[in-house]
Amino acid sequence: MEPMMNSRRDARVKILALEKIRVVETNLIKLSYPLIRRLEMDLAQHHGQPLAADLREHLFRGESSWQPAQAGVPHDDPRIFPIVDRVSEAIQQQHGPRWSPGEALIEGVSYFDLIEPLRKLLQQRTDLARIAGVD
C-alpha cells in the first residue's frame, strides 16, 4: 500500500509543479514586455530604423522564446537570453556593426533591472520542469 501512496504523492507533486509552471510562464511574458520595448528603442536608435517585423515577432513569441540564460554573458546584457542574442546577430548581418547595450538608465531603470526578474523566472521554470519531469 505504501508504494501506491508514494506514487500518488509523486503524481501530486508533479501536477502542482506543472500548474506553477503556467503561472511562471504568464509572469515571464508580462515581465518580458518592458525589456522588449527597451530593446526595440535601443536597436532602432543604434541602426537608425525600427526593428524589422519578423525580428520583433521573434521577441514577442511568448514564453517559448525565452530560454534559460547563457553562461558567459554579463548579467546586465540582454544578450544573456538566446532569443535576444539571435535577434542581435540577425540585425548585425543586415545592418552592420554589432549592437551592445548601453549602461544608461531610462526612467531610472537599467537593463539589469529588466533582466534579473526574467532570469530568476527562467530558473524557476527550469527547476519546476525538472520536478514535473518535463525538462
Side-chain angles (χ1 to χ4, degrees):
M1 185 91 150
E2 191 170 314
M4 187 177 200
M5 288 180 62
N6 283 339
S7 78
R8 284 184 185 164
R9 190 174 310 130
D10 290 345
R12 182 166 160 48
V13 167
K14 288 179 179 184
I15 289 169
L16 288 173
L18 287 170
E19 289 174 0
K20 288 178 183 177
I21 286 172
R22 290 307 314 153
V23 172
V24 167
E25 288 180 340
T26 299
N27 289 331
L28 183 61
I29 292 169
K30 288 178 188 175
L31 289 176
S32 69
Y33 290 152
L35 176 61
I36 293 168
R37 285 188 187 95
R38 172 82 179 262
L39 285 167
E40 285 182 299
M41 184 180 71
D42 285 356
L43 289 166
Q45 245 179 8
H46 180 75
H47 294 292
Q49 61 189 42
L51 189 60
D54 61 329
L55 296 177
R56 188 174 186 274
E57 184 181 309
H58 284 299
L59 292 173
F60 277 103
R61 202 166 270 157
E63 77 279 356
S64 62
S65 288
W66 296 93
Q67 298 303 314
Q70 302 182 101
V73 180
H75 286 280
D76 62 345
D77 186 334
R79 293 172 297 184
I80 195 169
F81 303 118
I83 185 66
V84 175
D85 194 42
R86 286 191 299 271
V87 166
S88 176
E89 284 179 13
I91 292 171
Q92 179 186 0
Q93 289 175 355
Q94 293 173 1
H95 302 288
R98 180 139 170 118
W99 168 82
S100 9
E103 295 180 17
L105 299 179
I106 296 184
E107 295 181 6
V109 178
S110 69
Y111 267 114
F112 181 80
D113 297 330
L114 298 170
I115 293 167
E116 191 60 16
L118 287 171
R119 196 180 64 70
K120 287 180 180 178
L121 282 173
L122 288 166
Q123 183 59 52
Q124 186 178 7
R125 181 177 69 180
T126 299
D127 294 343
L128 288 167
R130 194 170 297 117
I131 291 168
V134 294
D135 55 348

